[in-house]
Amino acid sequence: MASDNGQLAIVFNGEIYNYKELRTELIQMGARFRTESDTEILLHGWEAWGPAMLPRLNGMFAFAIHDAGRHCLFLARDRLGVKPLHYVELSDGALAFASELKGVLAHPLLRRTPDICAIEDYLAFGYVPDDNCIVAGVKKLAAGHALLIQRGKPVPAPTRWWQVNFSRRATGSVKALEEEFIHLMRDAVRSRMLADVPLGAFLSGGVDSSAVVAMMAELSPRAVKTCTIGFDEAGYDERDYARRIAQRFATDHREQVVAVDDVSLIDRLVTAFDEPFADPSALATYRLCELTRQSVKVALSGDGADESLAGYRRYKFQVAEERVRGLIPASLRRAVFGTLGHYYPKADWAPRLLRGKATFLALAEDGAEAYARSVGVTAPALRAILLSRDAQRALGGHRAEDRYIQSMRDAPALDALDRAQYADLQHWLPGDILTKTDRTSMAVGLEAREPMLDHKLVEFAASLPASMRLRGGQGKWLMKKAMERYLPRDILYRPKMGFVTPISPWYRGALAEDAASLSRSPMLAGCGWFDTAVIDRLAGDHRAGRADHGRTLWQLVMLDRSMAHLFG
């Protein structure tokens, strides 16, 4: 869209949920509108406030404004990274930018060279974090950042315009804080239900999506359309829980089963994501978006509650381990727990509480080091033998976990739980969770909206005392207390399952041959960065049940296909 005088032009991806309030304010300041769209709000907002417009916006967005009068280009991304933005400086001095990597790859001057540091990061986490890119030279504007580029001047470093702050604590009774949570959540859901197209919700039967559906049912004059995905593997299917919520709130409910045959989606996912992406739940998320798109064009999700309200089980372990670290001097911890961890057998099959090796090694390290490892997929020791000597030299000391460690040490935080959540909001949320939802939904023409990531709700959650986020082993404690008026206790307090895809059993069964063929891949063997004998051994050990390498094998499959797509 261009301004009336032709001085401004904008390209915009996303939604501004408070655009009507901003429109009224801008009209009072003398702005004249031609449309009812939120895009025009950004043009007039730039004229009135410049970069100071950003804190006024409530929404998910990535946009670029070209200001011919000021000879500048302004790029901005929303607070939590719901919408993506890539950019690259080209050899002729121009700057190319696009929502997705495929947009900048279309430019003929961009040379496609893989970045070994991004491959190290991908192997560690299962995604390429927002401070890196698989294509050397391409950058991603980080969540909560903006970039002001002046014509004829070097491209500066982006500036942060928002970050979540865990260093301030809310006061008040549990009841008062419950009411504030409900008020903020209701407002967040209400603002995201404004749409001139059919609207529905993802429903897993877990706490977060059930809470969103409960609020939607309260606010909607008609039955909410809900969709869920199940699996044909015992222990992975949550459809019964989703049906109970659908019945409780009388939703118009649909469901579908994901089976091993859905691995045929790999090439479609590779095209949608561009960069390698190995969260196995992307398969189910794609099918969920595909099913949802059959009946609606906008869907609300429960994404973000685990990160902002401490829902992951790993937070419980991190807090408990930090208590132990605080009681024992570091030198003694390293000597005792390091030795125990070295000799204790590895038990991939066991529940986390019984995996003594992982716990002992974690206690031997400092909290940030241990947490950075806990969020990973392929551990540093396995990466060290998986990557060739040439790859190790090319890395030049780069280590994927260091970004997590630095974020935790720099966090505006008061305790161990704050630091872990802060780091996840900086890296895991935009890099994995939101990337997965954005790419799979956009691939089928569906718009996903995340009310649990309303910035007012996130800021409120960050201010809660740690005991109101995590208490007695229960994550999202205050949220669950507040939602007791809406949801059954056995839904609220059942063990967290997550959107888990049965990759490991698949790679011992129907997909075992796919794993065995990895070591012969022209891309993985041809790049010289992998020890193919190690890949072969991982596949064999996994198939025989000697170890669980399902996630790493899935990573290698997705990396192989992505590299062929990008560089083949």
Side-chain angles (χ1 to χ4, degrees):
M1 181 180 283
S3 61
D4 281 340
N5 61 12
Q7 291 295 295
L8 301 179
I10 184 172
V11 286
F12 168 45
N13 175 27
E15 296 284 342
I16 306 301
Y17 301 120
N18 64 334
Y19 79 96
K20 289 185 177 179
E21 297 95 311
L22 293 174
R23 189 177 194 273
T24 299
E25 186 177 356
L26 288 163
I27 288 172
Q28 291 172 350
M29 295 172 67
R32 298 177 64 182
F33 284 83
R34 294 173 290 142
T35 73
E36 297 292 326
S37 86
D38 54 354
T39 308
E40 193 176 4
I41 292 292
L42 298 175
L43 286 175
H44 287 293
W46 174 260
E47 285 181 314
W49 302 306
M53 163 179 67
L54 293 175
R56 297 171 179 266
L57 304 178
N58 184 350
M60 56 176 187
F61 54 83
F63 63 79
I65 294 176
H66 180 248
D67 189 328
R70 302 182 198 179
H71 306 288
C72 68
L73 176 72
F74 185 66
L75 307 179
R77 192 174 176 201
D78 63 63
R79 292 170 177 83
L80 290 148
V82 178
K83 288 299 179 183
L85 206 167
H86 295 69
Y87 66 100
V88 62
E89 295 179 67
L90 300 167
S91 58
D92 66 350
L95 183 132
F97 58 91
S99 288
E100 296 176 278
L101 180 58
K102 59 175 61 70
V104 294
L105 290 178
H107 201 291
L109 288 182
L110 178 60
R111 293 182 180 179
R112 299 190 186 192
T113 306
D115 188 323
I116 183 60
C117 292
I119 289 176
E120 151 79 1
D121 296 340
Y122 165 76
L123 289 175
F125 300 122
Y127 59 91
V128 180
D130 270 7
D131 56 15
N132 213 337
C133 183
I134 191 71
V135 178
V138 178
K139 298 176 181 177
K140 302 166 193 164
L141 188 63
H145 281 68
L147 182 59
L148 181 61
I149 303 156
Q150 298 286 343
R151 184 181 297 281
K153 295 182 180 179
V155 176
T159 57
R160 185 194 290 270
W161 66 269
W162 182 87
Q163 73 170 330
V164 64
N165 187 346
F166 283 87
S167 68
R168 295 189 292 265
R169 289 291 187 253
T171 58
S173 67
V174 170
K175 187 66 178 173
L177 293 171
E178 282 182 32
E179 294 304 322
E180 187 171 356
F181 172 82
I182 292 293
H183 169 72
L184 289 168
M185 185 174 173
R186 185 181 290 117
D187 279 355
V189 171
R190 181 188 289 112
S191 67
R192 284 154 182 80
M193 288 179 68
L194 294 175
D196 54 6
V197 294
L199 178 140
F202 301 144
L203 178 60
S204 70
V207 173
D208 309 332
S209 63
S210 298
V212 169
V213 168
M215 290 291 176
M216 292 179 72
E218 179 182 85
L219 295 165
S220 177
R222 59 185 66 88
V224 176
K225 294 180 182 294
T226 56
C227 294
T228 193
I229 289 291
F231 296 97
D232 61 356
E233 287 274 348
Y236 292 86
D237 197 350
E238 293 187 285
R239 281 177 296 160
D240 285 345
Y241 297 108
R243 287 177 197 139
R244 285 185 57 197
I245 297 300
Q247 290 166 5
R248 184 181 183 92
F249 296 105
T251 72
D252 178 1
H253 189 61
R254 306 178 73 189
E255 60 182 47
Q256 185 174 317
V257 174
V258 175
V260 66
D261 292 345
D262 284 280
V263 171
S264 61
L265 282 173
I266 284 179
D267 289 334
R268 214 175 301 175
L269 292 177
V270 165
T271 301
F273 282 88
D274 293 322
E275 290 190 286
F277 187 82
D279 184 335
S281 64
L283 283 170
T285 306
Y286 182 91
R287 285 296 190 217
L288 177 61
C289 291
E290 196 174 48
L291 175 66
T292 305
R293 182 61 183 84
Q294 292 173 14
S295 54
V296 302
K297 293 186 178 181
V298 174
L300 272 59
S301 84
D303 286 344
D306 284 320
E307 291 81 7
S308 63
L309 286 152
Y312 293 125
R313 282 175 289 186
R314 61 182 181 245
Y315 296 137
K316 176 175 67 174
F317 294 117
Q318 176 70 5
V319 170
E321 289 166 2
E322 280 287 67
R323 289 197 193 103
V324 175
R325 292 186 190 100
L327 296 172
I328 304 173
S331 57
L332 184 59
R333 280 193 291 104
R334 285 193 293 269
V336 174
F337 293 121
T339 302
L340 286 171
H342 178 74
Y343 289 106
Y344 201 90
K346 196 170 188 292
D348 291 327
W349 49 268
R352 169 70 186 264
L353 283 170
L354 301 179
R355 294 182 202 170
K357 187 179 189 73
T359 301
F360 291 144
L361 291 174
L363 289 171
E365 298 174 314
D366 97 342
E369 287 272 359
Y371 191 74
R373 288 175 186 257
S374 76
V375 298
V377 179
T378 301
L382 182 51
R383 299 199 309 269
I385 61 171
L386 192 55
L387 292 172
S388 67
R389 291 182 179 177
D390 286 344
Q392 298 286 357
R393 282 192 292 269
L395 283 172
H398 174 80
R399 192 175 64 131
E401 289 81 5
D402 287 342
R403 59 172 53 79
Y404 245 94
I405 293 165
Q406 196 61 50
S407 290
M408 293 181 75
R409 290 175 179 167
D410 294 343
L414 299 178
D415 58 33
L417 180 60
D418 295 343
R419 288 188 285 274
Q421 287 184 251
Y422 177 84
D424 279 344
L425 287 165
Q426 299 299 305
H427 305 294
W428 167 261
L429 179 70
D432 186 295
I433 302 300
L434 295 178
T435 294
K436 174 180 64 182
T437 303
D438 178 74
R439 304 306 193 277
T440 53
S441 60
M442 289 287 95
V444 299
L446 177 73
E447 180 179 301
R449 298 178 180 176
E450 294 84 4
M452 302 304 297
L453 289 178
D454 186 281
H455 71 277
K456 295 177 184 176
L457 188 55
V458 172
E459 289 166 349
F460 168 77
S463 75
L464 290 173
S467 63
M468 291 195 188
R469 286 173 271 143
L470 178 64
R471 182 183 296 191
Q474 282 285 340
K476 294 184 280 200
W477 184 82
L478 185 85
M479 176 184 179
K480 291 175 181 178
K481 287 284 290 179
M483 293 305 299
E484 284 179 357
R485 69 191 77 173
Y486 292 96
L487 301 174
R489 289 184 63 86
D490 61 338
I491 292 287
L492 286 169
Y493 296 104
R494 71 183 176 92
K496 181 176 174 58
M497 189 172 180
F499 209 9
V500 182
T501 305
I503 288 295
S504 287
W506 287 353
Y507 276 121
R508 288 197 178 100
L511 300 181
E513 289 305 318
D514 289 0
S517 67
L518 272 171
S519 62
R520 302 186 296 275
S521 154
M523 291 306 302
L524 297 186
C527 70
W529 287 344
F530 292 92
D531 186 326
T532 54
V534 172
I535 295 176
D536 201 44
R537 188 167 74 245
L538 296 183
D541 287 348
H542 181 82
R543 184 172 190 173
R546 290 187 292 269
D548 186 350
H549 295 305
R551 288 290 303 276
T552 297
L553 293 171
W554 178 250
Q555 281 186 290
L556 292 171
V557 167
M558 295 304 290
L559 178 63
D560 178 46
R561 301 289 183 89
S562 293
M563 289 185 69
H565 171 69
L566 291 169
F567 308 111

